[in-house]
Amino acid sequence: MNRFPKRPVAVRTVSAAGALSILLCAPGAVFAQAHPNPATPDSLRQIQTMEPRIGPPGTEVSLYTENIPLQARVVVGLGAIGTGFEELGTGDQGEFGEIGAAVHVPETATWDRAVVFIIFNGNFAPTGLSDPFHVTDEDGRIQRTGTIAGQENGCVTFEDRDGYFYTLAGDLGDATTGDHLIVEGAASRSVACPHADTIEVDRMEETEPVERPEPFR
């Protein structure tokens, strides 16, 4: 269920041309110079509500959180680990510190990596981060590159190149722990394996190991 403050934040949608010109992971980037301390996922406040969590480009996503430090200006962006973040809109916090926003996943978002919504203050210091959002193709599928990490209680665990974990369902053939794979299929929440999102694999191929991106900065 979507939740919004009594006075919802007005969010301005911008085109891809309005993307932030800051690579959050690049040494010497403008953001790194202004804010030398890395902003890792562990150091940021978790955005409390995000609905939906899966959808194609163009999907409207509602964000709501009450745990972000008070700040005069709020900027909402979207991106993947180790990339720049595209600015989706701006607004103000409510008088009780609440932030509510409705933003659209841009058409430039691709199905092969999870993305996250991030909240910046007026100085573009990151203060909040969402759970991963899974951008799908036109058939509702996602693609992930990573490694089978193990199996527990019948759940095959897969770690993608960004460090996100999934469980794999379907016909996995003779794939085993340590195999490096590209997998494709529909993403869902599994009752049998509730600790991670599940990929219902309908296509799979072996690949070379992929280097993991640097943390957020």
Side-chain angles (χ1 to χ4, degrees), residues 39-53:
T40 65
D42 289 339
S43 71
L44 301 178
R45 305 288 180 89
Q46 191 75 16
I47 295 174
Q48 295 167 315
T49 300
M50 176 180 67
E51 293 290 345
R53 300 174 59 253

Side-chain angles (χ1 to χ4, degrees), residues 2-217:
N2 297 340
R3 298 176 59 211
F4 289 91
K6 294 180 180 178
R7 299 190 302 176
V9 175
V11 174
R12 172 178 54 87
T13 301
V14 299
S15 67
L20 299 178
S21 58
I22 300 167
L23 286 179
L24 301 186
C25 67
V30 174
F31 188 90
Q33 291 172 353
H35 306 278
N37 296 322
T40 65
D42 289 339
S43 71
L44 301 178
R45 305 288 180 89
Q46 191 75 16
I47 295 174
Q48 295 167 315
T49 300
M50 176 180 67
E51 293 290 345
R53 300 174 59 253
I54 300 171
T59 299
E60 182 178 83
V61 180
S62 298
L63 306 171
Y64 181 81
T65 195
E66 299 174 339
N67 60 350
I68 304 300
L70 289 173
Q71 50 199 53
R73 185 168 179 262
V74 173
V75 178
V76 180
L78 179 77
I81 292 177
T83 71
F85 276 76
E86 182 173 335
E87 180 180 339
L88 301 181
T90 61
D92 298 317
Q93 253 177 319
E95 60 182 315
F96 301 110
E98 71 276 18
I99 296 173
V103 293
H104 289 85
V105 177
E107 296 298 327
T108 52
T110 59
W111 72 317
D112 60 346
R113 296 181 70 183
V115 294
V116 290
F117 294 93
I118 190 166
I119 293 176
F120 298 90
N121 64 20
N123 295 320
F124 285 98
T127 55
L129 193 71
S130 75
D131 288 330
F133 180 90
H134 305 304
V135 183
T136 70
D137 69 0
E138 60 274 10
D139 296 319
R141 299 158 67 248
I142 65 173
Q143 180 188 93
R144 294 292 182 267
T145 301
T147 306
I148 293 182
Q151 182 172 337
E152 183 177 356
N153 298 325
C155 300
V156 178
T157 303
F158 180 82
E159 182 180 9
D160 78 358
R161 60 178 173 169
D162 293 320
Y164 294 122
F165 284 91
Y166 301 83
T167 58
L168 302 183
D171 183 6
L172 305 182
D174 58 358
T176 188
T177 300
D179 285 353
H180 305 287
L181 304 170
I182 299 173
V183 299
E184 297 176 3
S188 64
R189 272 291 184 187
S190 170
V191 175
C193 305
H195 59 281
D197 292 324
T198 294
I199 301 176
E200 298 284 344
V201 179
D202 57 37
R203 181 180 177 274
M204 179 175 63
E205 66 179 78
E206 293 185 8
T207 187
E208 296 296 320
V210 177
E211 185 176 353
R212 182 174 297 181
E214 293 294 324
F216 294 107
R217 286 190 181 274

